[in-house]
Amino acid sequence: MSIGFLKQAINAIHNQPYSSTTHRVNQWFKWLSPGISVKRWFMVTVSGVLLAILGLAIWMKLTPIFWILELLKGLLALLTDILPHYVSGPLVLLLGGLLVLWGQSRTVGSITQALRPQGSQEELIDVILAHHRLYRGPKIVVVGGGTGLSTLLRGLKTYSANITAIVTVADDGGSSGRLRQEFGVLPPGDIRNCLAALADEEKLLTELFQYRFRAGDGLTGHSFGNLFLTAMSDITGDLEQAVAASSKVLAVRGQVLPATLSDVRLWAEMADGRRIEGESSIPKAGGKIVKIGCLPANPPAIPAAIKAIRSADYIIIGPGSLYTSLIPNLLVPEITQAIACANVPRIYICNIMTQPGETEGYSVSEHIRAIDRACGDRKLFDAVLVHRRSPSAQALIRYAQQNSHPVFLDTEAVSRLGRRIVPANVLYEDETGFVRHDPQKLARVLLKWYGAASKK
């Protein structure tokens, strides 16, 4: 019997075109993929059915089984009298195979329809395989804040669901600052961005969380996401519990943790002797920052953050504003100590452009020295990722008007600091000349470097 006839028979049962049936058969074979724990449970089910039938037969003294076997024997004898065994055998085998295939495909189709998100065309087996791959990904800890951290998370979540973002809570400007003053809650702004970035429905959730009220007594200027997290903090008791509860509601892939639950406020000493207090005031002060700290000094870390760092396979610092997004996390001594002691690949993502009021004129090595000074000259990372191509002329002109320029890579100085340089093209530039890291390119480079570093 030809293979073509078999395919035509399957098509006739499903009343579907050949290409659709081929796709369905391929989808079926995916259920046999190793590691998703389907084959073993299918065999357990089959064994259970056979044992149940055997038990029933023993219980009934085999009498019904005897007559059923006799009936089948008669039917088969009649069939072989009409058709030779070399014709009837394949026909019965084909009929049985088609019935099994038809029944199981309908079963899986019903399960898929019930479990698949509304509007999604993705097959159930593809969802299971993707889930299996993501949750077997490396345990990645990312330390930072601001838009740079959320940009990175958008790329990383396509490679692993085992992501922990440790986020600064030193923000005191904008909507976060107002909520901090009025309700006494920790600033939710950076955490809000990270939750949106790690959510499955990222686009819709980002639009919702970033929505700012334009009217209303006391609401103007507040983002919905900040109000949501503030309400959750009041309900659950603190920001850590609020973020955990929100992550379940929003189907977040990974976890987001505040660096500390202390009400920390940044201060900076400038080269001219001034002392500036407040995260939002530091970039506006102008001048060179020579030292940065926080009040209260040495705030305690939350235990979940330390646990995540100690069990991490990979630690990433940045990108983000050097003094107001990255270093505030490192002012928590327990976090600094845990990162310094971690015997895993650790990398720092340097910003593409300098930031007015914070890193004007800084080279890559000066970024590294600032981090080293802030954490007591401990070596928190082994390599630094730098973008190796210059932005467009349009972007350079735009940023130059704000006294911002590409961060210069001083290779020899970086090497003297004992850091390996990882050059990569990870820039995304929009039509207006706005420059930032490309989430997917950045994540791809980071995972490639992690793979090479892990082997070493």
Side-chain angles (χ1 to χ4, degrees):
M1 185 171 295
S2 68
I3 298 297
F5 176 77
L6 176 60
K7 292 179 178 177
Q8 290 175 8
I10 295 174
N11 287 340
I13 287 181
H14 285 279
N15 195 23
Q16 293 177 342
Y18 171 75
S19 59
S20 176
T21 303
T22 303
H23 171 72
R24 175 60 59 187
V25 172
N26 290 336
Q27 292 298 111
W28 248 99
F29 276 107
K30 286 183 180 179
W31 287 99
L32 302 178
S33 300
I36 61 173
S37 302
V38 169
K39 298 187 295 296
R40 71 187 69 171
W41 299 120
F42 177 74
M43 293 304 298
V44 168
T45 302
V46 172
S47 300
V49 171
L50 293 176
L51 286 174
I53 293 174
L54 179 61
L56 183 64
I58 295 172
W59 191 9
M60 301 182 71
K61 299 182 179 179
L62 297 179
T63 303
I65 303 299
F66 172 78
W67 289 112
I68 290 173
L69 292 176
E70 287 294 311
L71 178 62
L72 288 175
K73 181 180 178 181
L75 289 174
L76 291 174
L78 179 63
L79 183 63
T80 53
D81 287 340
I82 298 173
L83 294 174
H85 66 89
Y86 56 82
V87 175
S88 59
L91 281 176
V92 173
L93 180 64
L94 175 63
L95 179 61
L98 291 177
L99 288 175
V100 170
L101 182 62
W102 184 36
Q104 290 302 307
S105 65
R106 293 297 183 182
T107 300
V108 173
S110 299
I111 296 173
T112 301
Q113 187 175 7
L115 298 181
R116 185 166 53 194
Q118 186 174 6
S120 172
Q121 298 301 315
E122 196 171 9
E123 296 286 350
L124 178 61
I125 182 58
D126 292 326
V127 174
I128 293 175
L129 287 172
H131 181 277
H132 178 69
R133 175 180 60 84
L134 288 173
Y135 281 87
R136 291 187 65 182
K139 297 176 183 178
I140 305 173
V141 170
V142 185
V143 180
T147 57
L149 180 57
S150 56
T151 297
L152 171 61
L153 294 177
R154 287 188 182 93
L156 288 179
K157 74 176 184 180
T158 61
Y159 292 91
S160 176
N162 300 314
I163 301 172
T164 299
I166 299 177
V167 188
T168 176
V169 287
D171 188 10
D172 63 359
S175 172
S176 293
R178 288 169 56 191
L179 291 171
R180 187 173 184 173
Q181 293 176 358
E182 295 171 10
F183 293 93
V185 297
L186 293 178
D190 288 347
I191 292 176
R192 173 200 75 210
N193 291 333
C194 292
L195 286 174
L198 288 174
D200 283 339
E201 297 295 332
E202 178 196 329
K203 186 177 185 299
L204 177 61
L205 192 62
T206 298
E207 292 178 0
L208 177 64
F209 267 32
Q210 299 288 38
Y211 175 79
R212 292 190 181 273
F213 294 91
R214 298 179 179 87
D217 187 17
L219 285 176
T220 305
H222 281 303
S223 69
F224 173 80
N226 285 355
L227 295 177
F228 176 83
L229 287 173
T230 299
M232 288 294 285
S233 296
D234 190 44
I235 292 171
T236 60
D238 61 46
L239 184 60
E240 181 185 5
Q241 298 301 320
V243 174
S246 301
S247 297
K248 294 179 182 178
V249 172
L250 303 173
V252 167
R253 195 178 298 170
Q255 63 176 341
V256 181
L257 300 173
T260 179
L261 294 179
S262 297
D263 184 18
V264 296
R265 297 184 181 274
L266 288 183
W267 56 262
E269 289 183 4
M270 315 303 289
D272 57 10
R274 288 178 298 157
R275 180 186 172 100
I276 309 299
E277 294 191 2
E279 181 268 345
S280 60
S281 301
I282 292 173
K284 300 175 184 177
K288 183 178 179 61
I289 300 171
V290 294
K291 189 176 182 181
I292 193 162
C294 66
L295 294 173
N298 303 321
I302 64 172
I306 303 305
K307 180 180 178 182
I309 294 172
R310 289 175 178 169
S311 62
D313 299 317
Y314 190 17
I315 298 175
I316 302 171
I317 300 174
S321 300
L322 179 63
Y323 287 105
T324 55
S325 292
L326 302 187
I327 289 180
N329 296 288
L330 306 179
L331 297 178
V332 180
E334 292 169 285
I335 290 180
T336 302
Q337 176 68 20
I339 296 175
C341 294
N343 188 25
V344 298
R346 301 166 300 174
I347 193 169
Y348 163 56
I349 305 171
C350 191
N351 293 334
I352 298 173
M353 308 296 291
T354 60
Q355 184 173 352
E358 289 199 37
T359 58
E360 294 178 25
Y362 271 41
S363 64
V364 174
S365 67
E366 287 174 303
H367 280 76
I368 296 173
R369 289 192 190 95
I371 295 175
D372 289 349
R373 284 195 304 269
C375 58
D377 291 322
R378 290 174 177 168
K379 187 178 178 181
L380 297 190
F381 52 90
D382 315 297
V384 54
L385 188 149
V386 295
H387 181 70
R388 63 184 177 187
R389 287 185 182 175
S390 178
S392 68
Q394 178 189 10
L396 292 175
I397 293 171
R398 169 183 172 168
Y399 278 87
Q401 293 172 347
Q402 304 170 8
N403 198 25
S404 177
H405 305 278
V407 176
F408 173 69
L409 173 58
D410 45 348
T411 305
E412 292 184 4
V414 173
S415 298
R416 285 196 296 269
L417 292 172
R419 264 60 171 217
R420 190 181 317 158
I421 298 172
V422 181
N425 296 319
V426 290
L427 178 142
Y428 171 77
E429 184 177 325
D430 65 18
E431 60 279 1
T432 65
F434 180 74
V435 169
R436 62 178 179 270
H437 287 95
D438 182 283
Q440 295 303 324
K441 290 181 180 179
L442 182 59
R444 195 179 306 119
V445 171
L446 288 169
L447 267 296
K448 183 178 179 181
W449 182 81
Y450 164 73
S454 298
K455 292 178 181 178
K456 294 179 181 180

